[in-house]
C-alpha cells in the first residue's frame, strides 16, 4: 500500500490501525507519532511530516534556516525554532485516535481525579466521566452540547471522531467562518471586529470551493506524473544504452590493440580514457535529469497521498488550514522537468586507419629517436 493508505469496512468506516506505517510514522526515528514529544510537524515543501523531537534535532544539525526532508530531500525553510512549523492537523487527529485505541483507557479531561472517561463532548472535544458528564449537562454554556458514549465513538470514528476548532484570538468561541478577503479562519467576534465589511463565507461553502480548486490541480499533477514516469523510463533506457556502448567499445578497443606492443598499448589506454570521460559526462547529464525527475515524483506522490487522506478524513477547518500548504506544494510541479537529449553517437568508437597509422608512426619515430639517442651516448672500447 502506498504511503497513507487506510482500509475501510463495508460501512465506509476507517480503521486507523490499518494505515500504512509511513503515514503515521516519523521517517527519522521510525516511531509512531504521539500527542507529546513526537507530534507530527508538517513540511510544507512536500507534505511529509517529522516528529517534533527529530525535527528539532535536524534543525540543530543542519543549522541556518533550512532543513532537508529525510524522506524526499526537498528543502524546507524554517524561520525560528521547531514550534514555528505547523502541526499537521490530519496526522495529529489520526494519531490521537490511534493512541486512544491502543491504550483502551481514556481519562476524564474535566476533573482532577483522573476518573476514567465514559463519554465525549463533541463541541468541546472533552472526555467526561459520569460525574463530569452530569455537570456538563447542567452548565448553561454546555447544556445543549452533543455528548456521545465512547462506544459510539469507536463504532463509527469517521462520523464521530471530530475535533472542535476554537479561535486563537477568542478561545471561548468556535471557528465558524472563513474570511475570503484575508484568507483567515474566524469566529463570530472576529467577523464583527477584525473582518468587518470583508467577504465572509461559511466554513463548508469555503471548504467546498477550495476542495474543487485542489481537485483541478491534482488532475494536472496526475498528468505531470504520467509524463515524468515516461521521462524516468527514457532516462533509464539512455543509461543502459550508454553503458552497453561503453562495454562494447571497451571490448572493440581491447581487441583492436591486443596484438600490438608497447606503443599500441599506450594508444589503447589513451583511447579508453577518452571514452570513459565521454561516458562519465553523458551519465552525469542523465543522472542530473533523473534526480530532478525522482524529486518531482516524490513530491507528486507525497501530495497525492496527502490529498487522498485529506479528502477522506479532513473536516472543513482542517481543509482550510491545509489549503495554502497544499497549493504551495503543488505549484511548480505541473510541468515535467526537461529531459536532456544525449547524443550517444558521440560515444561510439570509430576506428580511423589514418589516425591510427599516424599514431603508430609517431610512436615508432619516438622509439627510433630514443634508440638513436642512446646509441650516440654509447662508447665502445677500441
Amino acid at each position: 500500500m502506498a504511503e497513507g493508505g487506510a482500509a475501510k469496512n463495508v460501512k465506509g468506516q476507517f480503521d486507523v490501525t490499518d494505515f500504512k506505517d509511513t503515514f503515521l510514522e516519523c521517517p527519522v526515528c521510525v516511531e509512531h507519532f504521539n500527542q507529546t514529544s513526537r507530534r507530527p510537524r508538517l513540511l510544507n515543501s512536500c507534505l511529509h511530516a517529522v516528529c517534533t523531537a527529530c525535527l528539532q534535532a535536524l534543525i540543530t544539525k543542519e543549522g541556518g534556516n533550512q532543513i532537508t526532508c529525510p524522506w524526499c530531500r526537498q528543502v524546507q525553510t524554517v524561520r525560528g525554532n521547531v514550534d514555528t512549523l505547523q502541526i499537521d492537523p490530519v496526522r495529529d487527529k489520526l494519531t490521537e485516535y490511534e493512541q486512544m485505541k491502543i491504550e483502551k483507557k481514556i481519562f476524564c479531561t474535566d476533573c482532577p481525579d483522573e476518573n476514567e472517561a465514559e463519554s465525549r463532548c463533541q463541541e468541546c472535544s472533552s472526555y467526561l466521566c459520569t460525574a463530569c458528564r452530569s455537570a456538563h449537562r447542567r452548565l448553561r454554556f454546555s447544556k445543549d452540547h452533543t455528548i456521545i458514549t465512547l462506544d459510539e465513538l469507536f463504532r463509527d470514528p469517521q462520523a464521530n471522531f471530530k475535533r472542535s476548532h476554537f479561535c486563537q484570538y477568542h478561545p471561548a468561541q468556535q471557528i465558524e467562518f472563513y474570511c475570503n478577503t484575508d484568507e483567515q479562519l474566524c469566529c463570530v467576534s472576529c467577523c464583527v471586529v477584525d473582518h468587518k465589511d470583508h467577504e465572509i463565507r461559511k466554513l463548508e461553502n469555503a471548504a467546498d470551493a477550495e476542495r474543487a480548486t485542489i481537485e483541478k490541480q491534482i488532475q494536472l499533477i496526475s498528468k505531470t506524473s504520467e509524463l515524468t514516469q515516461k521521462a524516468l523510463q527514457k532516462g533509464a533506457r539512455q543509461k543502459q544504452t550508454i553503458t552497453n556502448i561503453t562495454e562494447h567499445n571497451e571490448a572493440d578497443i581491447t581487441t583492436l590493440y591486443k596484438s600490438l606492443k608497447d606503443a599500441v598499448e599506450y594508444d589503447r589506454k589513451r583511447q579508453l580514457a577518452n571514452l570513459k570521460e565521454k561516458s562519465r559526462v553523458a551519465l552525469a547529464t542523465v543522472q542530473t535529469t533523473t534526480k530532478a525527475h525522482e524529486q518531482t515524483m516524490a513530491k507528486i506522490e507525497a501530495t497525492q497521498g496527502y490529498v487522498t487522506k485529506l479528502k477522506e478524513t479532513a473536516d472543513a477547518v482542517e481543509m482550510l488550514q491545509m489549503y495554502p500548504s497544499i497549493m504551495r506544494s503543488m505549484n511548480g510541479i505541473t510541468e515535467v522537468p526537461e529531459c536532456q537529449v544525449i547524443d550517444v553517437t558521440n560515444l561510439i568508437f570509430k576506428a580511423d586507419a589514418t589516425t591510427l597509422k599516424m599514431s603508430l608512426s609517431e610512436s615508432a619515430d619516438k622509439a627510433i629517436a630514443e634508440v638513436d639517442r642512446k646509441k650516440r651516448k654509447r662508447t665502445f672500447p677500441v
Side-chain angles (χ1 to χ4, degrees):
M1 188 185 299
E3 180 190 2
K8 290 187 178 182
N9 61 24
V10 292
K11 295 181 180 180
Q13 300 170 359
F14 69 89
D15 186 347
V16 178
T17 58
D18 290 329
F19 272 96
K20 191 71 175 176
D21 283 347
T22 51
F23 191 73
L24 297 180
E25 185 181 85
C26 174
V28 179
C29 63
V30 201
E31 295 285 348
H32 284 287
F33 297 122
N34 60 26
Q35 295 293 293
T36 54
S37 63
R38 290 200 300 273
R39 294 189 75 181
R41 299 275 177 176
L42 190 69
L43 302 179
N44 292 323
S45 60
C46 59
L47 300 183
H48 285 129
V50 179
C51 77
T52 302
C54 289
L55 202 54
Q56 184 58 62
L58 285 175
I59 293 174
T60 302
K61 179 181 178 181
E62 296 192 20
N65 63 347
Q66 290 184 333
I67 57 172
T68 303
C69 174
W71 194 284
C72 66
R73 312 310 297 169
Q74 293 288 327
V75 176
Q76 166 79 44
T77 300
V78 181
R79 292 180 173 83
N81 60 24
V82 69
D83 294 329
T84 61
L85 291 175
Q86 175 186 4
I87 289 177
D88 181 353
V90 176
R91 286 184 174 93
D92 197 50
K93 182 172 74 171
L94 295 175
T95 298
E96 179 185 349
Y97 175 75
E98 181 184 35
Q99 194 166 328
M100 286 168 43
K101 207 171 180 189
I102 293 173
E103 293 175 356
K104 297 180 179 178
K105 192 172 185 180
I106 305 168
F107 295 102
C108 178
T109 54
D110 275 17
C111 69
D113 300 328
E114 294 189 350
N115 292 325
E116 188 171 350
E118 54 88 28
S119 58
R120 184 178 191 265
C121 175
Q122 296 293 76
E123 279 75 9
C124 300
S125 298
S126 298
Y127 297 96
L128 307 169
C129 63
T130 303
C132 288
R133 174 175 180 165
S134 298
H136 211 70
R137 287 292 193 196
R138 291 195 300 270
L139 294 173
R140 183 173 61 181
F141 78 90
S142 61
K143 66 179 182 178
D144 295 325
H145 287 187
T146 301
I147 297 177
I148 63 172
T149 66
L150 295 185
D151 288 338
E152 291 174 312
L153 173 65
F154 288 117
R155 267 200 307 272
D156 191 359
Q158 188 170 6
N160 294 326
F161 189 72
K162 298 179 179 179
R163 285 178 168 177
S164 296
H165 301 280
F166 292 92
C167 178
Q168 61 176 321
Y169 305 109
H170 308 94
Q173 297 189 37
Q174 292 195 25
I175 295 173
E176 299 181 60
F177 301 97
Y178 182 73
C179 176
N180 264 12
T181 305
D182 294 332
E183 297 183 348
Q184 288 184 356
L185 296 161
C186 48
C187 66
V188 174
S189 295
C190 287
C191 293
V192 174
V193 178
D194 300 318
H195 301 274
K196 187 178 180 181
D197 299 327
H198 288 186
E199 182 185 355
I200 304 297
R201 304 174 71 184
K202 289 186 176 181
L203 288 177
E204 287 299 336
N205 294 338
D208 287 342
E210 308 303 25
R211 285 190 187 100
T213 302
I214 289 173
E215 190 61 36
K216 290 179 181 178
Q217 195 72 8
I218 206 70
Q219 290 174 3
L220 293 175
I221 289 176
S222 296
K223 294 179 181 178
T224 303
S225 176
E226 294 175 5
L227 295 174
T228 304
Q229 286 282 13
K230 292 179 180 178
L232 284 170
Q233 293 169 1
K234 182 177 181 180
R237 291 194 298 269
Q238 288 179 330
K239 289 168 65 176
Q240 187 60 50
T241 299
I242 292 168
T243 300
N244 290 342
I245 291 175
T246 302
E247 291 173 353
H248 284 107
N249 284 345
E250 288 178 351
D252 292 342
I253 293 170
T254 301
T255 300
L256 178 63
Y257 287 92
K258 186 176 181 181
S259 61
L260 300 179
K261 295 186 179 180
D262 294 343
V264 177
E265 179 66 11
Y266 172 82
D267 193 74
R268 182 184 75 85
K269 291 180 179 180
R270 180 179 62 81
Q271 293 278 13
L272 282 173
N274 182 53
L275 169 68
K276 289 181 179 180
E277 175 60 18
K278 290 180 179 179
S279 175
R280 183 193 66 78
V281 173
L283 284 171
T285 301
V286 174
Q287 186 62 34
T288 299
T289 304
T290 299
K291 185 176 180 181
H293 291 156
E294 289 171 345
Q295 289 181 342
T296 299
M297 280 305 304
K299 191 169 183 178
I300 288 172
E301 290 169 359
T303 301
Q304 289 174 325
Y306 189 82
V307 169
T308 298
K309 297 292 107 25
L310 187 77
K311 292 189 292 185
E312 291 177 358
T313 62
D315 58 25
V317 171
E318 291 158 355
M319 172 61 68
L320 293 170
Q321 286 178 328
M322 291 311 303
Y323 172 74
S325 297
I326 292 173
M327 293 306 297
R328 280 195 298 272
S329 177
M330 291 192 293
N331 285 337
I333 60 175
T334 56
E335 296 183 1
V336 182
E338 182 180 357
C339 186
Q340 297 187 35
V341 177
I342 304 299
D343 183 12
V344 296
T345 59
N346 188 45
L347 298 172
I348 299 175
F349 171 72
K350 301 177 181 63
D352 187 338
T354 302
T355 303
L356 180 60
K357 290 178 181 179
M358 184 180 298
S359 176
L360 291 174
S361 177
E362 290 177 356
S363 297
D365 290 342
K366 288 180 180 179
I368 293 171
E370 180 64 18
V371 170
D372 290 340
R373 186 184 65 80
K374 290 181 178 179
K375 285 173 65 177
R376 286 194 297 271
K377 288 183 177 181
R378 292 185 187 136
T379 58
F380 298 94
V382 177

